[in-house]
Amino acid sequence: SSYMCIVEFDKITFRRPEETNDSVKETSSSKVQIIVFEIEDREMIGGSAYGGQKAICCTSDLAKLGACAEGSVIYRPSQVNPGWPQLFVASFDGSDLIATLPSRTIPVKKTGMYNMYFIHCDPALAGLEIDGKTIWKNPTGYLPGRMAPLKNFFGLMSFAFVILGIYWFYQYMKFWREVLPLQNCITLVITLGMLEMALWYFEYAEFNETGVRAKAITFWAVTFGTIKRTVARLIILIVSMGYGVVRPTLGGLTSKVVMLGGTFFVATEILELVENLGTVNDLSGKARLFLVYPVAILDASFIVWIFISLAKTLSQLQARRLMAKLDIYRKFTIALAITVLVSIGWIGYEIYFKSTDVFNERWQYAWIIPAFWHALSFSLLCVISYLWAPSQSSMRFTNDASEKFDREDSLSLIRPRPIVSNNGWSVASSTDAKAKKNTDSVTSFDEDDEENKRE
C-alpha cells in the first residue's frame, strides 16, 4: 500500500456451531458484517424508528421505512471523512459451517481512534467463533497511537537515570569509606531504575518494529520495576522509623516490614504482568478493580505507617536536640508530603480523565497518565539521593545516640535495685541520678554534633 497507515485483515474465519446447521435451510444465507469507523463518526452507526431506541441492526420497522435492508448493519456516510465508515461482509452459504473474510488492506488517511466491530444480526449465529488476526500500522510503526509517545518517554527517562547514576556513583566512589547501609539500598534502587527504563524502551521499540510484544523483555521490565518500587517503599519506611539514624535495628518490627513489602511485591507483580504481558488493550473495569484494590490498600498502608513513624522520629530528634539530623528529616518529610498531595491530586485527575473520555477521544494524551507516575517517583528518588548522598560527613547521620534512646525507652521497665559499694554498704540507685547521668551524656552528644556542624 502507498499509505503509511493501514488496517489489514489476515486469514479471518468465522465458525458457527454445528447444531445451528440443523435449523437453517439449504438455501438460506447468514452473514457476519465487519464495520471499521473513526470514533468521531460513532453517531453515524445505528438508527431508530420514530425516535425510539437506537439499534445497530436494521429492524423490520426501519426496513418498512426504506432506511435500510433488514438484517444489515445501519450506518450513514461520514461528512468529514469521505469513504468512511467501511463495511465488509463474510457470508455462510447454505449449510456451510465456516465463512472466510478475504484478506485485504484498508488505507487510512485521517488521524484518529479507529474501531472495528464484528456484528451478526441473525440469531441463528449465536455462539459464533472468530479466528485470525487484524494488523494495525501507524506511520511510525506498529505501536498504537496512545502508546507510541511512551517509547520516547522511556528513552528520556533512561537518560535521566544515567545522569542520576553518574552523580550518585561519583559520590559513592569518592566517599566509599563513609558509605552507610542505607546508601547501599539507594544504589540498588537507582540501578533497578536504570534497568527498568532501559527494558521498557527496548520492549516498546521491539513492539513498534514487529507488532508483537516481546514477553521475555516485558516480564523482566515489569519484575525490575516491581522490585524497585518495593525496595523504594521499604527504604522510605525504615528511614522514617529512624533506622541507622536513631535506632540500630528495627527490632520486632522487622517481620512486619518484610511481610508488608513481600505482599506488595506479589500484588503489584500480578497486576503489572496481567496488564502488560503480551496485551495491548486495557483491562476491563471489573478485572482491573479486582487487581488494583489490593495494591491501593497496601500503598495506603505504607503511607500511613511512614508518616506515623516520621512523627515519632522527628519528636525524638527534637527532644534530643540533634539539629543536623532534625533538619534533614524535616526536608525529607516535606518532600514526602508534597509527593503524597500531588499523587492524590493526580489520582483525582486520572479518574476525571477516564470517566469523561469513555470513547478514547483524547487518546493522544492518554500516555501522560502512566508517564506522570514514573516522573513523580523519579523526582522523589532525586530528592532522597540529594539528602542522603555519600559525603565526608555521612557518619554524622549514623545511630550514634541510638543506644541512649533504647535505654530511655526501657528505663521505666527496670526496677531499681541496690548497689553494693566497696565498703559493703548497700546504696539504692536513684532514677534521678540515672536521668542526670543520661542528660550529661546527651549534652556531650549535642556538643559534638554542634561542633560537626560548625566544621
Side-chain angles (χ1 to χ4, degrees):
S1 174
S2 59
Y3 297 100
M4 299 183 69
C5 297
I6 60 167
V7 178
E8 185 177 344
F9 299 119
D10 185 22
K11 300 177 182 177
I12 296 181
T13 58
F14 305 91
R15 174 182 287 273
R16 57 183 175 182
E18 292 188 16
E19 55 269 19
T20 305
N21 193 37
D22 302 330
S23 61
V24 295
K25 298 179 180 178
E26 292 289 329
T27 57
S28 69
S29 178
S30 298
K31 59 185 178 181
V32 180
Q33 298 166 85
I34 302 93
I35 189 165
V36 185
F37 63 96
E38 206 273 322
I39 196 63
E40 290 182 359
D41 297 329
R42 63 183 181 276
E43 297 299 329
M44 301 292 106
I45 311 298
S48 61
Y50 311 111
Q53 186 176 0
K54 194 172 185 179
I56 299 294
C57 293
C58 186
T59 62
S60 57
D61 291 337
L62 287 169
K64 289 175 183 177
L65 294 174
C68 54
E70 186 174 358
S72 62
V73 172
I74 305 168
Y75 74 97
R76 300 184 303 281
S78 171
Q79 302 298 318
V80 296
N81 196 5
W84 292 83
Q86 295 200 22
L87 185 70
F88 306 94
V89 178
S91 299
F92 293 93
D93 294 325
S95 59
D96 290 346
L97 294 177
I98 296 176
T100 303
L101 181 69
S103 296
R104 67 181 70 211
T105 300
I106 309 169
V108 179
K109 305 177 185 178
K110 181 177 179 290
T111 298
M113 173 65 73
Y114 285 82
N115 292 262
M116 179 184 294
Y117 286 178
F118 294 86
I119 304 169
H120 65 80
C121 300
D122 187 351
L125 292 180
L128 186 73
E129 296 179 0
I130 306 175
D131 187 28
K133 66 180 179 179
T134 60
I135 300 170
W136 304 67
K137 188 175 183 181
N138 287 308
T140 56
Y142 290 101
L143 272 173
R146 61 186 175 83
M147 297 174 67
L150 286 172
K151 181 171 78 76
N152 294 332
F153 171 77
F154 287 130
L156 182 63
M157 286 298 298
S158 298
F159 180 73
F161 264 100
V162 168
I163 297 299
L164 177 61
I166 290 172
Y167 161 75
W168 182 265
F169 288 118
Y170 172 76
Q171 293 292 111
Y172 191 95
M173 296 303 295
K174 186 177 180 181
F175 302 105
W176 65 273
R177 293 181 183 275
E178 309 291 328
V179 169
L180 307 175
L182 171 64
Q183 291 163 337
N184 288 327
C185 294
I186 296 173
T187 303
L188 175 62
V189 173
I190 293 174
T191 304
L192 289 169
M194 287 181 184
L195 291 171
E196 180 195 13
M197 292 299 107
L199 285 170
W200 276 126
Y201 175 79
F202 287 120
E203 197 266 348
Y204 273 60
E206 178 73 11
F207 186 7
N208 193 53
E209 187 69 26
T210 64
V212 179
R213 301 196 74 167
K215 291 186 177 181
I217 301 178
T218 305
F219 173 81
W220 286 113
V222 165
T223 302
F224 280 129
T226 304
I227 295 173
K228 184 200 77 174
R229 284 192 287 278
T230 304
V231 173
R233 281 161 175 77
L234 291 175
I235 287 175
I236 293 172
L237 178 58
I238 64 176
V239 166
S240 302
M241 291 176 172
Y243 172 72
V245 178
V246 298
R247 58 195 302 173
T249 67
L250 296 179
L253 295 174
T254 303
S255 58
K256 295 179 181 179
V257 171
V258 172
M259 185 180 299
L260 180 60
T263 308
F264 178 83
F265 172 80
V266 172
T268 306
E269 180 80 353
I270 292 172
L271 173 62
E272 294 293 327
L273 286 176
V274 171
E275 279 193 328
N276 293 285
L277 195 63
T279 62
V280 178
N281 297 324
D282 292 333
L283 290 174
S284 64
K286 290 183 179 180
R288 179 173 173 78
L289 284 177
F290 178 76
L291 295 172
V292 165
Y293 273 139
V295 178
I297 292 171
L298 291 168
D299 248 337
S301 301
F302 266 113
I303 292 170
V304 171
W305 199 356
I306 284 168
F307 279 98
I308 291 174
S309 301
L310 268 176
K312 291 180 180 178
T313 303
L314 285 170
S315 63
Q316 286 179 325
L317 291 172
Q318 194 162 13
R320 307 290 294 192
R321 297 180 58 82
L322 300 175
M323 304 312 294
K325 296 177 182 179
L326 182 61
D327 180 61
I328 199 171
Y329 263 84
R330 280 175 175 166
K331 292 177 181 177
F332 179 58
T333 303
I334 291 170
L336 279 182
I338 292 173
T339 302
V340 171
L341 290 175
V342 171
S343 298
I344 293 171
W346 190 255
I347 289 171
Y349 174 75
E350 186 174 347
I351 293 171
Y352 164 79
F353 183 91
K354 292 186 176 180
S355 62
T356 57
D357 189 35
V358 180
F359 300 104
N360 292 321
E361 292 179 276
R362 297 198 293 268
W363 58 271
Q364 290 169 303
Y365 308 103
W367 68 275
I368 298 175
I369 300 294
F372 177 84
W373 293 113
H374 287 290
L376 183 64
S377 62
F378 177 76
S379 300
L380 181 59
L381 179 60
C382 288
V383 172
I384 292 173
S385 299
Y386 171 75
L387 293 176
W388 271 279
S391 65
Q392 195 169 6
S393 58
S394 290
M395 298 306 293
R396 289 166 54 207
F397 302 109
T398 58
N399 53 306
D400 54 352
S402 59
E403 291 184 5
K404 302 302 178 186
F405 278 111
D406 295 339
R407 287 178 190 170
E408 285 188 350
D409 292 340
S410 60
L411 190 60
S412 60
L413 302 178
I414 302 174
R415 169 181 279 181
R417 59 184 179 182
I419 298 175
V420 179
S421 64
N422 292 332
N423 58 12
W425 290 90
S426 295
V427 181
S429 62
S430 70
T431 305
D432 293 340
K434 286 185 178 180
K436 186 174 188 312
K437 184 178 179 182
N438 284 339
T439 304
D440 294 340
S441 64
V442 171
T443 304
S444 67
F445 276 116
D446 293 340
E447 289 172 355
D448 293 342
D449 207 32
E450 292 299 325
E451 287 179 4
N452 286 335
K453 287 177 67 179
R454 286 196 294 270
E455 291 174 0

